Amino acid sequence: MISPFTLITTSLYIFFSVVILSLLFSRNQRLLVYSVFPLTSFASLLALIAGIWIVQYGITESWIILMGLPDLPFHIRLDPLSGFFLTLIGALGFIVSVYSIGYVKAFIGHRPVTSLAIFYSLFLAGMFMVVLADDAFFFLISWEVMAAASYFLVMFEDERTENRRAAFLYLVIAHIGAIAILLSFGLMAGFATGFESFNGYTFDAMRHASFPPHWAAVTFFLAFFGFAAKAGVIPLHVWLPEAHPVAPSNVSALMSGIMLKTAIYGIIRVTFDLIRDFPWWWGAVVMILGLVSALLGILFALQQQDLKKLLAYSSVENIGIILVGIGLSMTFASFHSPVLSALALTAGLYHTFNHAMFKGLLFMGAGAVLHATHERNMEGMGGLIHRMPWTSALFLIGCISISALPPFNGFVSEWLMFQAFLLSPALPSTLLNFLIPMGAALLALAAALAAMCFVKAFGVTFLGQWRGQHHSEIHEVDWFMRIGMGMTAIACLCLGIFPTAMIRWMDVIAAGFVGGELSESAGAFGWIWLTPISHERASYSGPIVLLGLVGIVALAFLLLHARRKTIHRGPLWDCGFEKVTPRMQYTATAFSMPVRRIFGFYFHIRERKESKHLLDHKAFIKSIRYTLKTRDRFWGWLYQPVVDASFWISRKTGKLQKGRIQVYLIYSFATIILLLVLLR
Amino acid sequence: MSEMFSSYILEVVQIVILLAAAPVFIGWVRTLKCWFQGRTTAGIFQPYRDLIKLFHKDIVLAENASWIFRITPYLIFGFTVLIGAIIPVLSVDLPLSSTADVIAIVSLFAMSRFFTALAGMDIGTAFGGMGSSREMTIASLAEPAMLMAVFTVSLASKSTSLSQMAQVIAHGDLVLRPSLAFALLAFIFISLAETGRIPVDNPATHLELTMIHEAMILEYSGRHLALIEWAGMMKLYLFAVLGIAAFFPWGIAEAGNLIAIPIAILVLAVKLVLAGVGLVLIETGLAKMRFFRVPEFLGSAFLFATLGMLSFFMLE
């Protein structure tokens, strides 16, 4: 008897048996790679099928599993929201596992990959369990499994200081977030069944919690803070550009593509499902934080020279865009406009899915580049399009998608988001009527800067000429990696061309939470036309854009090639200088200079120019050395004081340690006396 | 059936007009400019001769040019023609006009710009990269202003679909709406930036340090260059008709009314002639500004669009 439940449990069993399997196979690393990753991809595929199934039929079922502590069994619940995220995690888990076969193979002979295999499958299993959990206990255990496994994955190449530093930072921020989530669940459980009993720990009980005034806001913002730390919302984003670049690229793809999304899942679950009744200003706060993340995230991304760091900052931007959708949906919902709320929520969820696909693709592409060139710094790359034709074409698709350009998928979700923004004059509040369009303008700025950012990323990495030293051994990656990237690229195109089918499929989520439906209006004119609210309001047709473009391009090509013209190849035009070298190309730093100058306030920029002179005269320059350090200001503003304070405290308390047994005995004695006095 | 057939004929007519009229429009602008500056003109049909000359030339391609470089001219051309088929120019009811609303049209322009910028970086000369970087910077600053202008216009018609906007304004009373006046001002500023005209970019310059759009396409030759030039001409034409459709749609033919088409063509010609005069007045009256003054220019466009929105909420 196959049901979504059996599929997903089978999938989890496979993940846990893979852990044991990898321990058994640790002697034969090649066998390990060829058995573990196919198995995890199969298990993810099962979860993917289960997820599609659940959302398609709008199934809501729950089970109690007799595991965990004696009186606190685990609760599991399948509903459309968890189905959606199962689909998302399953899809990217499946694709990245295929890619991993090729990627992890390269480690064989250099370092053992047993730990990578073990934590990889635990990591995936943890994410699946998070979206299944229906009680706070199981949720937090799964959350920690996920966090701990990803910590070890970031630590995989632990001989480098930066990896250890990044992993530690990640662990600290993840746990500060986890504490906030724990407190929030505690409050909800307390207001559900009283603070004395334990029965409130299930989500079902929390749904019936009644909050005293103001406590609902405390609960919500604790949870939001906790999930925002995981999602990398500014200013809690500092771990992200440290951890993503140093993790193995398949893991970065998973972390950025789907782990951040579990936090989005958490926010939606807590807001729309557990608390449900919220004032409009919560939505406004979420939206403002989303806008700040989107704009600053992409500005920081533009300043990066490290390809993976750039992608990590761009994840901050995309999480911001998703949060804007969620915040807008909350605002609309609190004013009781279900259809608009459904539109904004759908836009946010659509972007969640899209981001998983194109960011997965881009991180896999960055991994392919890293694999081939052993280089992460874009300033040392260039011209890879000639050496890696597949990777570059697929990476280009990712770049177009993430820049929100038609007919690919990023455009559809941002377009839906803009439509939701443009409908805000329907709200009864004049203040919001004025302010929400400003948000749309900021979002447009972020989207346009994203296009600039990815022109830079693709242009500097793949186009032009090779800037580095040795490049004879650069080669295209193997078929597993190409297939992995290819599948996400196809997904990006399909999600851009068939949005109506996707919206129809996921409509049940918004219908369940905010009571509005889009499928009637969105697909009213067939699958070709996307008309989110009505035909008169706005419409877009991905298939026609694609077909029209292909038609015109093909026609122009055929007409012009009817008379064959010869193409001469010649050296590039050097203005008569004759000594043009690849090092004279525009660099990534130069490319982003205008933005650095225009938006300079947001960065901490340290620019130094040193020149050596001949004959000690400034007219005769022998050499110039230019250094530029750009950092985001949040580290200095928020984190450095905390770091300094904790070092200060530990230095002060360190003075207590005298290293003499007599002193320590006095400490114990004094403590006992003090306790006896206080706790008589 | 015959109605559907006639609307497809209309679509084809509109594309033919786009392809044919864009060079003449540019020719008209250049001729006017010559008159204003007291030079002799080459006639309004000179752009045709330029295009024909380029189409007949062979291509010289840099040794390390990749497929991106070779496909880009076709893509730019394709996107531009596609946009021309979508914007309602002659009639409010075209079979393709609901393919994209204003926001999607702006994104289609962005897509062609994306590829132009990539092609600029493909060869690996410093000029190309400089052009790409500047073009993308200006584009990203223009985007929020553009969205605000779209938003303001859509407030009046409650729609972002161009057909709907044109219909609402053409049918409404002829009153001066302050919101639309501000939005129009913003739109003109943005169009100057997007089409690379003075004061943002000088289309006639090949001076190394000031060119933006020309820097990206410096390495192109032969039919590739012809396609890009043609698409550039169409882009100027399209921004003109975009403004006409959103702000001055009077004279556009109603759905299914074929008799009104010749009148619509005539009215369009008159509007374009006037648009050319306006453009030349701006271009002759202003000097090209420094690159780092452009943010202020586009910032004021954003401000105007915002004022338009505020005045809609307060006055209308």
Side-chain angles (χ1 to χ4, degrees), chain A residues 506-522:
Chain A
M506 61 193 263
D507 204 30
V508 61
I509 305 169
F513 287 148
V514 295
E517 285 196 24
L518 291 181
S519 52
E520 288 283 310
S521 54

Side-chain angles (χ1 to χ4, degrees), chain B residues 44-305:
Chain B
I44 60 170
F45 296 108
Q46 181 59 28
Y48 279 135
R49 293 190 276 271
D50 290 344
L51 285 182
I52 293 167
K53 178 189 75 186
L54 285 175
F55 272 120
H56 280 91
K57 284 197 167 188
D58 285 1
I59 292 174
V60 182
L61 211 56
E63 275 150 355
N64 62 331
S66 72
W67 57 268
I68 298 257
F69 191 79
R70 299 180 64 175
I71 200 178
T72 297
Y74 296 96
L75 284 178
I76 298 173
F77 185 76
F79 276 114
T80 315
V81 174
L82 187 65
I83 296 167
I86 292 169
I87 298 178
V89 179
L90 299 179
S91 160
V92 289
D93 181 46
L94 290 172
L96 288 184
S97 63
S98 46
T99 302
D101 67 342
V102 188
I103 301 176
I105 287 173
V106 173
S107 302
L108 286 171
F109 276 123
M111 182 74 172
S112 86
R113 184 189 314 119
F114 188 85
F115 272 94
T116 319
L118 284 184
M121 300 190 78
D122 189 40
I123 304 293
T125 61
F127 288 137
M130 188 168 67
S132 306
S133 163
R134 289 178 175 177
E135 173 92 353
M136 294 312 283
T137 309
I138 291 176
S140 47
L141 295 173
E143 200 85 334
M146 185 72 184
L147 193 94
M148 216 43 157
V150 168
F151 189 87
T152 307
V153 180
S154 79
L155 281 172
S157 55
K158 293 201 168 35
S159 169
T160 54
S161 136
L162 265 178
S163 303
Q164 193 70 17
M165 285 180 177
Q167 219 156 11
V168 167
I169 293 181
H171 281 240
D173 300 328
L174 194 66
V175 289
L176 184 70
R177 290 167 181 257
S179 65
L180 286 187
F182 279 121
L184 175 65
L185 205 54
F187 179 78
I188 291 173
F189 276 39
I190 299 156
S191 307
L192 290 174
E194 290 265 347
T195 51
R197 310 298 300 189
I198 292 175
V200 176
D201 186 11
N202 185 354
T205 188
H206 278 99
L207 193 66
E208 285 94 336
L209 297 176
T210 58
M211 58 184 171
I212 300 176
H213 183 258
E214 290 299 316
M216 291 189 291
I217 60 170
L218 208 54
E219 290 280 336
Y220 275 109
S221 58
R223 59 170 177 256
H224 288 163
L225 185 59
L227 282 174
I228 292 178
E229 292 283 344
W230 201 358
M233 294 171 190
M234 286 194 283
K235 190 174 182 185
L236 183 67
Y237 167 88
L238 286 175
F239 265 89
V241 295
L242 191 64
I244 289 171
F247 297 101
F248 306 102
W250 299 284
I252 196 167
E254 288 303 311
N257 187 353
L258 282 185
I259 304 139
I261 296 295
I263 303 171
I265 296 179
L266 208 66
V267 173
L268 176 71
V270 172
K271 287 177 192 165
L272 283 174
V273 166
L274 291 178
V277 174
L279 176 63
V280 171
L281 281 177
I282 296 173
E283 286 209 298
T284 350
L286 294 174
K288 185 188 172 303
M289 55 173 80
R290 268 182 74 210
F291 178 69
F292 285 105
R293 296 296 292 270
V294 175
E296 295 163 26
F297 178 74
L298 290 169
S300 50
F302 180 74
L303 196 70
F304 283 130

Side-chain angles (χ1 to χ4, degrees), chain A residues 386 411 415 419 422 438 445 452 463-465 529 536-541 565-570 585 591, chain B residues 56 58-59 61-65 70 98-99 101 107 118 122 124 129 133 137 140 151 158-160 223 306:
Chain A
H386 302 289
F411 171 72
W415 187 76
Q419 292 303 332
L422 295 187
M438 297 288 167
L445 179 60
M452 179 174 186
L463 302 178
Q465 298 172 46
W529 305 97
E536 289 86 23
R537 179 80 216 184
S539 55
Y540 167 68
S541 169
K565 279 271 166 274
T566 38
I567 292 183
H568 308 285
R569 289 271 180 173
Q585 296 174 84
F591 193 89
Chain B
H56 280 91
D58 285 1
I59 292 174
L61 211 56
E63 275 150 355
N64 62 331
R70 299 180 64 175
S98 46
T99 302
D101 67 342
S107 302
L118 284 184
D122 189 40
S133 163
T137 309
S140 47
F151 189 87
K158 293 201 168 35
S159 169
T160 54
R223 59 170 177 256
T306 314

Side-chain angles (χ1 to χ4, degrees), chain A residues 15-37 40 104-105 107-123 149 152-153 155-157 248 250-251:
Chain A
F15 280 120
F16 287 113
S17 38
V18 163
V19 173
I20 300 165
L21 195 74
S22 18
L23 285 173
L24 291 177
F25 285 176
S26 64
R27 291 295 173 98
N28 188 342
Q29 295 274 308
R30 186 162 288 275
L31 181 65
L32 178 80
V33 171
Y34 279 107
S35 60
V36 165
F37 292 106
T40 54
V104 177
K105 213 170 58 185
F107 285 117
I108 296 174
H110 298 290
R111 58 170 58 246
V113 294
T114 320
S115 72
L116 181 64
I118 292 175
F119 292 115
Y120 181 90
S121 50
L122 274 180
F123 181 42
F152 285 109
L153 290 171
M155 279 281 272
F156 178 60
E157 288 167 275
N250 54 341
V251 175

